[in-house]
Amino acid sequence: MRRNPERRRALIDGAIEVLAREGARGLTFRAVDKEAAVPPGTASNYFANRDDLFTQVGGRIYERLLPDEATMARSREGTQDQNRYAELMHELVDRVSAFNTGYLALLELRLEATRRPELRAVLTERIREDIDANIAHHAASGLPGDKTSVLLLYLALNWLIVERLTLPDIFTEQEIHDLVDEAVRRSLGA
Amino acid sequence: MRRNPERRRALIDGAIEVLAREGARGLTFRAVDKEAAVPPGTASNYFANRDDLFTQVGGRIYERLLPDEATMARSREGTQDQNRYAELMHELVDRVSAFNTGYLALLELRLEATRRPELRAVLTERIREDIDANIAHHAASGLPGDKTSVLLLYLALNWLIVERLTLPDIFTEQEIHDLVDEAVRRSLGA
């Protein structure tokens, strides 16, 4: 197995684009080599098999979706009230939507997970960790609401992003904005 | 174009199973013929092309997801309060989850819609109609809450079903039940 980490990352990033564009069935070593503009046969030196490629793609998407340090630092500034919560959720929705191929690839992975038990296990663990981290982050933040608020926002905002990325004419940008505000407000369950 | 409506329906129902199992790329006329156990070449006599097949599948899934008359009649009985609302939403989540291949096929169609403008237009129209019908039904029902409650429940429950069908170990059945209750309660925005 080859070990150049930059090359590996470039291959996985290429795989994300292939997944979003062609779907899970289109994700072949050959397509990844082509997308990453590397010699044919390169991907097969970096991944044991397609299962391995799928699971590494899952981890990488989450890595790229995480906020950077500056964003995290900014999120801790200012009054931690409902308006601040809404602001953070707008930022989150926009950040995730901006990496649209990553989010679409993640949906492809979820569907593929119904066919691949190993991928299902890896995604379950990764997403459960992410949810728990969100709950812990919220509890430490001083933001209003409770664990249920975090879970309800997780649910509503994920589908809002699905809607925006797959059928962008269902809701206008203004409706999306208002729905985020209301999702925050009502999830607090005053 | 052949016109036997039962045969057409059987082919489309077969296509739903193929989509859920194999993904959008696996949805070929040949696979549909095989799934519906009809002679090779049958599907190509019923659908002009794959675009046509994809759009007809979308319509059929929504047809099958609609509650039947008995369910609709029952939904209008009893006190239309928050508990009743929660009961109806539990029924909805269970009904949709029970047609799991239909829901997974719908996710495949949404992803395919990012690649097929015609499918995107058909799904957008169908889903917008469905959302508007939900809003109108709610307004006429006497249930608590407003249009925003309906939209927030639409968002949260859709993702809850995605979670349940693609990564069923993220939330336990009890957690799902409690999340539906809380989604209803908080979406009302008292």
Side-chain angles (χ1 to χ4, degrees), chain A residues 84-105:
Chain A
R84 187 78 190 101
Y85 205 164
E87 233 174 83
L88 291 172
M89 294 302 103
H90 287 299
E91 274 175 32
L92 173 74
V93 168
D94 288 343
R95 189 175 70 243
V96 176
S97 304
F99 184 26
N100 64 330
T101 52
Y103 197 84
L104 293 173

Side-chain angles (χ1 to χ4, degrees), chain A residues 22 25 154 163 186-187, chain B residues 22 25 154 163 186-187:
Chain A
E22 322 252 353
R25 275 227 186 178
Y154 165 80
E163 205 74 273
R186 301 195 186 194
S187 77
Chain B
E22 322 253 355
R25 275 226 186 180
Y154 164 81
E163 204 74 272
R186 301 195 186 194
S187 76

Side-chain angles (χ1 to χ4, degrees), chain B residues 5-77:
Chain B
E6 271 169 56
R7 174 61 62 98
R8 174 181 302 277
R9 213 158 34 234
L11 289 166
I12 297 175
D13 285 339
I16 293 170
E17 301 307 310
V18 173
L19 251 183
R21 195 176 61 233
E22 322 253 355
R25 275 226 186 180
L27 186 64
T28 59
F29 284 160
R30 182 201 283 258
V32 172
D33 288 337
K34 210 172 151 210
E35 181 71 26
V38 295
T42 306
S44 67
N45 286 322
Y46 275 83
F47 306 99
N49 47 47
R50 283 181 77 224
D51 255 318
D52 184 25
L53 176 59
F54 275 115
T55 56
Q56 293 203 36
V57 164
R60 174 73 175 145
I61 295 172
Y62 268 87
E63 199 179 290
R64 287 180 59 185
L65 283 175
L66 284 179
D68 57 24
E69 265 312 305
T71 306
M72 284 302 281
R74 252 200 337 273
S75 82
R76 288 183 289 261
E77 289 165 9

Side-chain angles (χ1 to χ4, degrees), chain A residues 19-26 103-105 107-108 110-115 119-121 123-125 127-128 131 145-149 151-152 154-160 162-163 165-171 175 179 182-183 185-190, chain B residues 19-26 103-105 107-108 110-115 119-121 123-125 127-128 131 145-149 151-152 154-160 162-163 165-171 175 179 182-183 185-190:
Chain A
L19 251 183
R21 195 176 61 233
E22 322 252 353
R25 275 227 186 178
Y103 197 84
L104 293 173
L107 284 177
E108 293 282 355
R110 277 182 173 266
L111 289 166
E112 193 63 18
T114 66
R115 302 162 199 136
L119 178 60
R120 177 176 142 179
L123 282 180
T124 298
E125 194 182 343
I127 289 170
R128 192 64 240 184
I131 293 173
D146 57 8
K147 179 185 159 179
T148 301
S149 314
L151 291 174
L152 292 177
Y154 165 80
L155 297 177
L157 300 188
N158 261 301
W159 191 261
L160 196 60
V162 170
E163 205 74 273
L165 296 186
T166 63
L167 300 174
D169 299 322
I170 297 266
F171 296 122
E175 284 173 319
L179 279 168
E182 283 295 326
R185 190 171 77 75
R186 301 195 186 194
S187 77
L188 301 182
Chain B
L19 251 183
R21 195 176 61 233
E22 322 253 355
R25 275 226 186 180
Y103 197 84
L104 293 172
L107 283 177
E108 293 282 357
R110 277 181 173 268
L111 289 166
E112 193 63 17
T114 66
R115 301 160 200 137
L119 178 60
R120 176 177 143 181
L123 282 180
T124 298
E125 193 182 345
I127 290 169
R128 192 63 240 187
I131 293 173
D146 56 9
K147 179 184 159 179
T148 301
S149 314
L151 291 174
L152 291 177
Y154 164 81
L155 297 177
L157 300 187
N158 261 302
W159 192 262
L160 196 59
V162 170
E163 204 74 272
L165 296 185
T166 63
L167 300 173
D169 299 322
I170 297 265
F171 296 122
E175 284 173 319
L179 279 169
E182 284 294 327
R185 190 172 77 74
R186 301 195 186 194
S187 76
L188 302 183

